[in-house]
Amino acid sequence: MTDYFAPRSLLVTGGAGFIGSNFINNFMAGNSGCRVVNLDALTYAGNLENLRAVENSPDYRFVKGDICDSELVAGILEKEKIDAVVHFAAESHVDRSILGPEVFVRTNVLGTQVLLEESRRHWQSAQVENFRYLQISTDEVYGSLGKTGYFTEETPLAANSPYSASKAGADLLVRAYHETFGFPAMTTRCSNNYGPFQFPEKLIPLMIHNILAGKPLPVYGDGLNVRDWLHVKDHSLAVETVLKKGGIGRVYNIGGNNEWRNIDIVNLVCSLMDEKLGNTRCTSNALISFVKDRPGHDRRYAIDASRIRSELGWEPSFTFERGIDETIDWYLANREWSAKVTSGAYRDYYRQMYEGRQ
Ligand code: NAD
Ligand code: DAU
């Protein structure tokens, strides 16, 4: 393990998305004095309203731009004297990758290569003595498990969707940059996140949204696929821990040891929503609708997170009971956020806040 690393000027990519924005909000709350530059292209998944808590901080800067733009990336690295990169930016939704894989390869593979190459040049030009690059990856690169067993960091990559294949391709590039150039890169592979600011195309916010709208709750296949759920704040803290204490060249799995079958999650969300909305007839689960399965649908994910626990001392702090309860409360208290996402009005925020200012 390396010595404790304290970044002074951090480039976060994809910081307007679900996990990136939670990470920036949490990181800036606990690391005052560290500059944070957020580079985000504001695709459909990017929402600057997620960053209201930090947008006026003198330590924070937002740059609207594409990670595939090498000139832009090089300029930010140099001008901002970046000494660490945390790379969240990606196309992240499996179903979209089945409908249109090309943009996944462009952003997730080519975008990562551009970021790696420009970061390597910047690091090698000796502008920064100490440098870290952290690739945010996913447990999906390992493929699918049967009824038993866990993914460890040594599990061979066996991606099954265009999304996970593009993430696995990026992971291999990160590995290659470390092996070939000695580039100080690390990788994290996390399980399914839930929490505030998640785009309502993903299972949990979609179910909450559809219950509120009285719409069907689509459950793919037999509903018995299993995912390991982790609160996004616990993921954010794990990322910060790896950034500061992780070993160069190392991969760290992150997970909540919290496996749920999809149908059980959907039923749980239904009963919590009934309770919170005072629906004494408990009718939300009547909206459940079993639909055609996702092609190539991975059956089960389960993470062995013992490396990050034993080497770096990270532990999740949320029980699922508390996390899911607070998450539903958040979506109920922030219906305007969801409404703006659904109507597309969230896209106006950039124009109102930033146009003419960059
Ligand atoms: P998200 O889709 O909510 O956000 C992605 C962000 O990246 C958006 O703000 C988008 O505007 C930005 N982006 C997309 N293309 C870009 C480009 N070319 N240039 C600059 N910015 C671009 O994703 P998320 O759920 O927050 O996931 C973040 C990262 O974490 C991804 O790399 C994903 O693979 C990984 N991950 C996600 C989960 C999960 O459960 N959501 C779990 C493990 C790992
Ligand atoms: O495991 C980490 C991954 O988790 C991340 O790398 C991805 O970026 C993130 O999107 C997530 O992928 P999943 O495919 O597991 O998440 P999603 O929310 O799309 O689906 C969770 C499970 O629920 C999955 O088995 C498919 C199922 N599902 C999903 C949707 C959207 C349904 O049954 N119905 C639905 O409508």
Side-chain angles (χ1 to χ4, degrees), residues 6-51:
R8 281 175 297 193
S9 188
L10 177 65
L11 173 60
V12 176
T13 68
F18 163 50
I19 305 174
S21 61
N22 275 284
F23 172 80
I24 291 178
N25 288 328
N26 291 321
F27 182 86
M28 291 194 71
N31 293 271
S32 63
C34 176
R35 183 151 176 79
V36 174
V37 181
N38 172 14
L39 172 62
D40 196 300
L42 299 184
T43 68
Y44 79 94
N47 185 346
L48 287 177
E49 287 200 53
N50 302 357
L51 293 152

Side-chain angles (χ1 to χ4, degrees), residues 58-72:
D59 289 334
Y60 173 76
R61 179 182 166 207
F62 172 67
V63 180
K64 183 174 188 282
D66 189 336
I67 54 166
C68 298
D69 181 343
S70 51
E71 229 173 273
L72 174 70

Side-chain angles (χ1 to χ4, degrees), residues 30 40 50 69 110-111 128 138 186 213 235 240 280 307 317 357:
D40 196 300
N50 302 357
D69 181 343
L110 181 61
V128 273
T138 166
M186 303 173 288
H235 186 192
E240 187 175 336
T280 48
R307 176 179 288 177
S317 62
R357 270 175 41 174

